[in-house]
Amino acid sequence: MSKRKNKTRDQQENGQQLCCDFEKLKLVYDKVAEHHKYYLSWRRYLLTGYFTVVAALSYSSYTLFNSEYSYWTFAITFFIGLISLLIYFLDKRNQGLYHISQRVGSNIEQELFKHYLTNDKSYLDATTWNEDGKKDGKGLFFTLDNSHKNSVPTHSTIIYTLYLTTTFLAFVITVFMIIYKTLPTLCANI
């Protein structure tokens, strides 16, 4: 009888431990979701600030181009290129952070669904997770983590193209303006 009581006591403790681990895992999952939202909000802030600063600098460069202060247009367009490059690197770093949270969230989803499968079948969505609890489903983080494997361009690809194209064009325009402004004086001296 003693062995049987110890066995049931161990099962109860394991069940309580499993429940506690499950609750901790849910808390970590919630924290990962918060971090993911935070990193995505930074992308929005970077993009908003980028468009605001580039629009203001572009307008000032345009208005100064034919004025007596036209020498500032070189610096302004060059600065637009530098800002674009800086924002590109900041966004690239930010993307790395939210990809980490996607991978962690995907792994936690796998563990959570294993718990659901072993303890409470009502949470199982048969279209997304199989009976073995293997990660072949489509939880939120799992889907996000695997979305980069598609051949369709993502928002990141389009935004990075915008940053790099703006950088390239700003540097080309800077060179063009230097040549345009200095060529008449060079030709006059010949």
Side-chain angles (χ1 to χ4, degrees):
M1 287 290 272
S2 169
K3 287 184 180 181
R4 188 172 190 175
K5 285 182 182 179
N6 286 339
K7 188 175 183 181
T8 57
R9 184 179 304 143
D10 288 342
Q11 287 174 342
Q12 288 174 345
E13 288 175 1
N14 286 342
Q16 289 173 348
Q17 180 66 31
L18 184 62
C19 181
C20 290
D21 289 344
F22 175 72
E23 292 301 322
K24 288 177 187 175
L25 204 55
K26 280 179 27 179
L27 289 173
V28 171
Y29 184 77
D30 290 340
K31 205 57 149 162
V32 168
E34 285 178 34
H35 282 267
H36 190 258
K37 288 178 194 176
Y38 177 75
Y39 297 138
L40 287 177
S41 71
W42 267 100
R43 168 171 265 188
R44 186 180 70 229
Y45 299 144
L46 283 171
L47 198 57
T48 303
Y50 172 75
F51 280 123
T52 304
V53 170
V54 167
L57 289 174
S58 297
Y59 180 74
S60 63
S61 178
Y62 172 74
T63 56
L64 291 175
F65 184 68
N66 289 321
S67 71
E68 62 187 73
Y69 302 107
S70 63
Y71 54 86
W72 281 103
T73 56
F74 311 134
I76 292 172
T77 53
F78 185 75
F79 193 60
I80 289 172
L82 288 179
I83 287 175
S84 298
L85 205 55
L86 173 71
I87 297 294
Y88 167 76
F89 286 120
L90 288 174
D91 199 35
K92 196 77 167 155
R93 172 69 178 137
N94 192 42
Q95 181 189 33
L97 291 172
Y98 69 77
H99 277 300
I100 289 170
S101 66
Q102 287 172 359
R103 275 187 301 253
V104 170
S106 178
N107 292 336
I108 292 173
E109 281 175 349
Q110 181 183 9
E111 293 300 316
L112 287 174
F113 280 108
K114 280 182 184 177
H115 176 80
Y116 287 147
L117 288 173
T118 57
N119 297 315
D120 189 358
K121 298 253 186 212
S122 65
Y123 289 101
L124 176 63
D125 181 358
T127 61
T128 58
W129 294 87
N130 65 20
E131 288 290 327
D132 298 330
K134 291 187 179 172
K135 192 166 88 170
D136 63 351
K138 294 190 175 15
L140 173 67
F141 284 113
F142 177 79
T143 303
L144 290 171
D145 191 33
N146 291 310
S147 65
H148 67 278
K149 296 176 184 172
N150 297 337
S151 61
V152 178
T154 62
H155 290 94
S156 295
T157 307
I158 295 168
I159 290 171
Y160 293 155
T161 304
L162 169 78
Y163 292 149
L164 294 176
T165 303
T166 304
T167 301
F168 175 74
L169 288 175
F171 292 147
V172 167
I173 290 170
T174 301
V175 170
F176 170 75
M177 286 192 303
I178 289 171
I179 292 171
Y180 178 76
K181 289 292 185 179
T182 58
L183 192 59
T185 55
L186 290 176
C187 291
N189 291 336
I190 293 180

